[in-house]
mmCIF file of all heavy atoms in Angstrom:
data_model
loop_
_atom_site.group_PDB
_atom_site.id
_atom_site.type_symbol
_atom_site.label_atom_id
_atom_site.label_comp_id
_atom_site.label_asym_id
_atom_site.label_seq_id
_atom_site.Cartn_x
_atom_site.Cartn_y
_atom_site.Cartn_z
ATOM 1 N N HIS A 1 12.261 -4.957 -24.428
ATOM 2 C CA HIS A 1 11.223 -4.051 -23.912
ATOM 3 C C HIS A 1 10.709 -4.584 -22.580
ATOM 4 O O HIS A 1 10.308 -5.742 -22.475
ATOM 5 C CB HIS A 1 10.059 -3.922 -24.898
ATOM 6 C CG HIS A 1 8.978 -3.012 -24.398
ATOM 7 N ND1 HIS A 1 9.127 -1.646 -24.326
ATOM 8 C CD2 HIS A 1 7.737 -3.287 -23.909
ATOM 9 C CE1 HIS A 1 8.023 -1.104 -23.834
ATOM 10 N NE2 HIS A 1 7.174 -2.083 -23.575
ATOM 11 N N VAL A 2 10.737 -3.729 -21.563
ATOM 12 C CA VAL A 2 10.250 -4.110 -20.234
ATOM 13 C C VAL A 2 8.810 -3.611 -20.091
ATOM 14 O O VAL A 2 8.570 -2.401 -20.195
ATOM 15 C CB VAL A 2 11.127 -3.501 -19.121
ATOM 16 C CG1 VAL A 2 10.668 -4.009 -17.763
ATOM 17 C CG2 VAL A 2 12.594 -3.843 -19.351
ATOM 18 N N PRO A 3 7.845 -4.514 -19.881
ATOM 19 C CA PRO A 3 6.438 -4.103 -19.835
ATOM 20 C C PRO A 3 6.105 -3.317 -18.573
ATOM 21 O O PRO A 3 6.815 -3.387 -17.569
ATOM 22 C CB PRO A 3 5.686 -5.437 -19.856
ATOM 23 C CG PRO A 3 6.642 -6.405 -19.221
ATOM 24 C CD PRO A 3 8.015 -5.957 -19.655
ATOM 25 N N THR A 4 5.023 -2.581 -18.627
ATOM 26 C CA THR A 4 4.539 -1.873 -17.443
ATOM 27 C C THR A 4 3.983 -2.883 -16.441
ATOM 28 O O THR A 4 3.657 -4.020 -16.809
ATOM 29 C CB THR A 4 3.427 -0.882 -17.805
ATOM 30 O OG1 THR A 4 2.274 -1.622 -18.258
ATOM 31 C CG2 THR A 4 3.876 0.080 -18.895
ATOM 32 N N LEU A 5 3.846 -2.465 -15.204
ATOM 33 C CA LEU A 5 3.269 -3.340 -14.184
ATOM 34 C C LEU A 5 1.806 -3.632 -14.494
ATOM 35 O O LEU A 5 1.306 -4.715 -14.182
ATOM 36 C CB LEU A 5 3.407 -2.686 -12.804
ATOM 37 C CG LEU A 5 3.098 -3.572 -11.599
ATOM 38 C CD1 LEU A 5 3.941 -4.835 -11.603
ATOM 39 C CD2 LEU A 5 3.317 -2.793 -10.297
ATOM 40 N N ASN A 6 1.132 -2.683 -15.124
ATOM 41 C CA ASN A 6 -0.272 -2.900 -15.492
ATOM 42 C C ASN A 6 -0.426 -3.988 -16.546
ATOM 43 O O ASN A 6 -1.492 -4.588 -16.670
ATOM 44 C CB ASN A 6 -0.880 -1.593 -16.015
ATOM 45 C CG ASN A 6 -0.883 -0.501 -14.963
ATOM 46 O OD1 ASN A 6 -1.192 -0.753 -13.810
ATOM 47 N ND2 ASN A 6 -0.520 0.712 -15.355
ATOM 48 N N ASP A 7 0.647 -4.238 -17.307
ATOM 49 C CA ASP A 7 0.619 -5.288 -18.330
ATOM 50 C C ASP A 7 1.053 -6.642 -17.795
ATOM 51 O O ASP A 7 1.067 -7.622 -18.550
ATOM 52 C CB ASP A 7 1.531 -4.898 -19.509
ATOM 53 C CG ASP A 7 0.993 -3.711 -20.281
ATOM 54 O OD1 ASP A 7 -0.237 -3.535 -20.299
ATOM 55 O OD2 ASP A 7 1.806 -2.948 -20.847
ATOM 56 N N ARG A 8 1.429 -6.692 -16.524
ATOM 57 C CA ARG A 8 1.858 -7.961 -15.916
ATOM 58 C C ARG A 8 1.312 -8.067 -14.493
ATOM 59 O O ARG A 8 2.028 -8.327 -13.536
ATOM 60 C CB ARG A 8 3.386 -8.065 -15.929
ATOM 61 C CG ARG A 8 4.109 -6.818 -15.503
ATOM 62 C CD ARG A 8 5.605 -6.945 -15.496
ATOM 63 N NE ARG A 8 6.113 -7.827 -14.476
ATOM 64 C CZ ARG A 8 7.249 -7.638 -13.795
ATOM 65 N NH1 ARG A 8 7.987 -6.561 -14.015
ATOM 66 N NH2 ARG A 8 7.648 -8.491 -12.895
ATOM 67 N N ARG A 9 -0.003 -7.851 -14.369
ATOM 68 C CA ARG A 9 -0.640 -7.818 -13.045
ATOM 69 C C ARG A 9 -0.514 -9.139 -12.292
ATOM 70 O O ARG A 9 -0.563 -9.166 -11.063
ATOM 71 C CB ARG A 9 -2.116 -7.438 -13.174
ATOM 72 C CG ARG A 9 -2.319 -6.001 -13.655
ATOM 73 C CD ARG A 9 -3.792 -5.621 -13.738
ATOM 74 N NE ARG A 9 -3.960 -4.280 -14.272
ATOM 75 C CZ ARG A 9 -3.911 -3.176 -13.544
ATOM 76 N NH1 ARG A 9 -3.705 -3.266 -12.238
ATOM 77 N NH2 ARG A 9 -4.069 -1.999 -14.101
ATOM 78 N N ASP A 10 -0.368 -10.249 -13.018
ATOM 79 C CA ASP A 10 -0.221 -11.546 -12.352
ATOM 80 C C ASP A 10 1.069 -11.632 -11.540
ATOM 81 O O ASP A 10 1.210 -12.491 -10.665
ATOM 82 C CB ASP A 10 -0.245 -12.682 -13.385
ATOM 83 C CG ASP A 10 -1.633 -12.878 -13.992
ATOM 84 O OD1 ASP A 10 -2.599 -12.349 -13.421
ATOM 85 O OD2 ASP A 10 -1.735 -13.542 -15.041
ATOM 86 N N ASP A 11 2.020 -10.744 -11.836
ATOM 87 C CA ASP A 11 3.284 -10.741 -11.088
ATOM 88 C C ASP A 11 3.202 -9.915 -9.804
ATOM 89 O O ASP A 11 4.137 -9.956 -8.993
ATOM 90 C CB ASP A 11 4.414 -10.184 -11.960
ATOM 91 C CG ASP A 11 4.792 -11.118 -13.097
ATOM 92 O OD1 ASP A 11 4.549 -12.328 -12.963
ATOM 93 O OD2 ASP A 11 5.322 -10.632 -14.109
ATOM 94 N N ILE A 12 2.129 -9.154 -9.631
ATOM 95 C CA ILE A 12 2.023 -8.271 -8.464
ATOM 96 C C ILE A 12 2.099 -9.041 -7.144
ATOM 97 O O ILE A 12 2.799 -8.599 -6.219
ATOM 98 C CB ILE A 12 0.746 -7.414 -8.551
ATOM 99 C CG1 ILE A 12 0.920 -6.360 -9.652
ATOM 100 C CG2 ILE A 12 0.434 -6.727 -7.213
ATOM 101 C CD1 ILE A 12 -0.295 -5.501 -9.912
ATOM 102 N N PRO A 13 1.423 -10.196 -6.971
ATOM 103 C CA PRO A 13 1.549 -10.929 -5.700
ATOM 104 C C PRO A 13 2.987 -11.305 -5.368
ATOM 105 O O PRO A 13 3.410 -11.180 -4.214
ATOM 106 C CB PRO A 13 0.677 -12.174 -5.925
ATOM 107 C CG PRO A 13 -0.338 -11.737 -6.925
ATOM 108 C CD PRO A 13 0.387 -10.805 -7.846
ATOM 109 N N ILE A 14 3.755 -11.770 -6.356
ATOM 110 C CA ILE A 14 5.158 -12.153 -6.114
ATOM 111 C C ILE A 14 5.956 -10.938 -5.670
ATOM 112 O O ILE A 14 6.719 -10.984 -4.697
ATOM 113 C CB ILE A 14 5.772 -12.757 -7.391
ATOM 114 C CG1 ILE A 14 5.017 -14.009 -7.820
ATOM 115 C CG2 ILE A 14 7.248 -13.079 -7.173
ATOM 116 C CD1 ILE A 14 5.438 -14.558 -9.163
ATOM 117 N N LEU A 15 5.786 -9.825 -6.374
ATOM 118 C CA LEU A 15 6.524 -8.602 -6.057
ATOM 119 C C LEU A 15 6.117 -8.052 -4.696
ATOM 120 O O LEU A 15 6.976 -7.659 -3.893
ATOM 121 C CB LEU A 15 6.270 -7.549 -7.141
ATOM 122 C CG LEU A 15 6.850 -7.864 -8.518
ATOM 123 C CD1 LEU A 15 6.204 -7.000 -9.586
ATOM 124 C CD2 LEU A 15 8.360 -7.650 -8.524
ATOM 125 N N ALA A 16 4.810 -8.027 -4.427
ATOM 126 C CA ALA A 16 4.317 -7.470 -3.162
ATOM 127 C C ALA A 16 4.816 -8.277 -1.970
ATOM 128 O O ALA A 16 5.231 -7.709 -0.945
ATOM 129 C CB ALA A 16 2.790 -7.423 -3.167
ATOM 130 N N GLU A 17 4.793 -9.596 -2.082
ATOM 131 C CA GLU A 17 5.275 -10.462 -1.000
ATOM 132 C C GLU A 17 6.769 -10.243 -0.763
ATOM 133 O O GLU A 17 7.221 -10.149 0.380
ATOM 134 C CB GLU A 17 5.005 -11.934 -1.327
ATOM 135 C CG GLU A 17 3.537 -12.340 -1.327
ATOM 136 C CD GLU A 17 2.950 -12.478 0.073
ATOM 137 O OE1 GLU A 17 3.673 -12.229 1.054
ATOM 138 O OE2 GLU A 17 1.761 -12.836 0.176
ATOM 139 N N GLN A 18 7.537 -10.159 -1.847
ATOM 140 C CA GLN A 18 8.984 -9.971 -1.725
ATOM 141 C C GLN A 18 9.303 -8.622 -1.094
ATOM 142 O O GLN A 18 10.148 -8.519 -0.191
ATOM 143 C CB GLN A 18 9.643 -10.079 -3.101
ATOM 144 C CG GLN A 18 11.151 -9.907 -3.090
ATOM 145 C CD GLN A 18 11.887 -11.028 -2.371
ATOM 146 O OE1 GLN A 18 11.352 -12.136 -2.252
ATOM 147 N NE2 GLN A 18 13.077 -10.756 -1.879
ATOM 148 N N PHE A 19 8.636 -7.557 -1.546
ATOM 149 C CA PHE A 19 8.874 -6.233 -0.997
ATOM 150 C C PHE A 19 8.507 -6.185 0.488
ATOM 151 O O PHE A 19 9.214 -5.583 1.293
ATOM 152 C CB PHE A 19 8.078 -5.184 -1.764
ATOM 153 C CG PHE A 19 8.569 -4.947 -3.169
ATOM 154 C CD1 PHE A 19 7.713 -4.501 -4.165
ATOM 155 C CD2 PHE A 19 9.897 -5.172 -3.505
ATOM 156 C CE1 PHE A 19 8.169 -4.279 -5.455
ATOM 157 C CE2 PHE A 19 10.361 -4.954 -4.789
ATOM 158 C CZ PHE A 19 9.482 -4.514 -5.768
ATOM 159 N N THR A 20 7.386 -6.824 0.835
ATOM 160 C CA THR A 20 6.947 -6.832 2.235
ATOM 161 C C THR A 20 7.977 -7.511 3.122
ATOM 162 O O THR A 20 8.317 -7.010 4.203
ATOM 163 C CB THR A 20 5.583 -7.548 2.365
ATOM 164 O OG1 THR A 20 4.625 -6.876 1.553
ATOM 165 C CG2 THR A 20 5.097 -7.545 3.805
ATOM 166 N N GLU A 21 8.487 -8.647 2.672
ATOM 167 C CA GLU A 21 9.497 -9.373 3.454
ATOM 168 C C GLU A 21 10.759 -8.525 3.625
ATOM 169 O O GLU A 21 11.307 -8.413 4.729
ATOM 170 C CB GLU A 21 9.838 -10.691 2.758
ATOM 171 C CG GLU A 21 10.864 -11.520 3.508
ATOM 172 C CD GLU A 21 11.209 -12.822 2.806
ATOM 173 O OE1 GLU A 21 10.499 -13.191 1.846
ATOM 174 O OE2 GLU A 21 12.192 -13.473 3.217
ATOM 175 N N GLU A 22 11.218 -7.912 2.543
ATOM 176 C CA GLU A 22 12.433 -7.100 2.604
ATOM 177 C C GLU A 22 12.256 -5.884 3.513
ATOM 178 O O GLU A 22 13.137 -5.562 4.319
ATOM 179 C CB GLU A 22 12.814 -6.629 1.198
ATOM 180 C CG GLU A 22 13.304 -7.745 0.292
ATOM 181 C CD GLU A 22 13.606 -7.251 -1.106
ATOM 182 O OE1 GLU A 22 13.444 -6.027 -1.349
ATOM 183 O OE2 GLU A 22 13.998 -8.063 -1.957
ATOM 184 N N ILE A 23 11.124 -5.221 3.398
ATOM 185 C CA ILE A 23 10.883 -4.009 4.189
ATOM 186 C C ILE A 23 10.764 -4.350 5.674
ATOM 187 O O ILE A 23 11.288 -3.628 6.527
ATOM 188 C CB ILE A 23 9.624 -3.280 3.675
ATOM 189 C CG1 ILE A 23 9.880 -2.736 2.266
ATOM 190 C CG2 ILE A 23 9.225 -2.135 4.610
ATOM 191 C CD1 ILE A 23 8.616 -2.403 1.496
ATOM 192 N N CYS A 24 10.102 -5.458 5.987
ATOM 193 C CA CYS A 24 10.010 -5.899 7.388
ATOM 194 C C CYS A 24 11.398 -6.189 7.947
ATOM 195 O O CYS A 24 11.711 -5.844 9.090
ATOM 196 C CB CYS A 24 9.110 -7.131 7.504
ATOM 197 S SG CYS A 24 7.348 -6.785 7.313
ATOM 198 N N GLN A 25 12.247 -6.820 7.149
ATOM 199 C CA GLN A 25 13.625 -7.083 7.572
ATOM 200 C C GLN A 25 14.378 -5.776 7.797
ATOM 201 O O GLN A 25 15.084 -5.620 8.797
ATOM 202 C CB GLN A 25 14.344 -7.926 6.519
ATOM 203 C CG GLN A 25 13.877 -9.368 6.445
ATOM 204 C CD GLN A 25 14.530 -10.134 5.297
ATOM 205 O OE1 GLN A 25 15.254 -9.567 4.499
ATOM 206 N NE2 GLN A 25 14.241 -11.426 5.211
ATOM 207 N N ASP A 26 14.227 -4.833 6.873
ATOM 208 C CA ASP A 26 14.935 -3.561 6.982
ATOM 209 C C ASP A 26 14.540 -2.802 8.245
ATOM 210 O O ASP A 26 15.379 -2.159 8.880
ATOM 211 C CB ASP A 26 14.657 -2.685 5.755
ATOM 212 C CG ASP A 26 15.329 -3.222 4.498
ATOM 213 O OD1 ASP A 26 16.209 -4.101 4.634
ATOM 214 O OD2 ASP A 26 14.966 -2.789 3.393
ATOM 215 N N TYR A 27 13.265 -2.860 8.605
ATOM 216 C CA TYR A 27 12.776 -2.131 9.769
ATOM 217 C C TYR A 27 12.822 -2.967 11.052
ATOM 218 O O TYR A 27 12.451 -2.466 12.119
ATOM 219 C CB TYR A 27 11.345 -1.641 9.533
ATOM 220 C CG TYR A 27 11.248 -0.449 8.623
ATOM 221 C CD1 TYR A 27 10.528 -0.511 7.434
ATOM 222 C CD2 TYR A 27 11.881 0.747 8.935
ATOM 223 C CE1 TYR A 27 10.440 0.583 6.586
ATOM 224 C CE2 TYR A 27 11.799 1.847 8.102
ATOM 225 C CZ TYR A 27 11.080 1.756 6.927
ATOM 226 O OH TYR A 27 10.992 2.840 6.096
ATOM 227 N N GLY A 28 13.250 -4.226 10.955
ATOM 228 C CA GLY A 28 13.288 -5.082 12.136
ATOM 229 C C GLY A 28 11.917 -5.428 12.667
ATOM 230 O O GLY A 28 11.724 -5.611 13.878
ATOM 231 N N LEU A 29 10.938 -5.542 11.769
ATOM 232 C CA LEU A 29 9.560 -5.839 12.167
ATOM 233 C C LEU A 29 9.240 -7.313 11.922
ATOM 234 O O LEU A 29 9.819 -7.933 11.031
ATOM 235 C CB LEU A 29 8.581 -4.986 11.350
ATOM 236 C CG LEU A 29 8.668 -3.463 11.536
ATOM 237 C CD1 LEU A 29 7.792 -2.771 10.494
ATOM 238 C CD2 LEU A 29 8.245 -3.072 12.942
#
């Protein structure tokens, strides 16, 4: 069973940082 994001809020900083880095790379920013 994969929990909802609301049930694992402590993981949000890790995910947000990773997504930000990837998106900046994708857009060349």
Side-chain angles (χ1 to χ4, degrees):
H1 180 72
V2 185
T4 66
L5 191 56
N6 298 318
D7 292 331
R8 45 179 291 216
R9 293 182 183 275
D10 289 345
D11 290 336
I12 288 176
I14 299 172
L15 292 163
E17 291 285 2
Q18 180 67 23
F19 290 153
T20 301
E21 181 181 349
E22 290 177 1
I23 293 161
C24 286
Q25 289 175 355
D26 289 346
Y27 284 120
L29 297 171

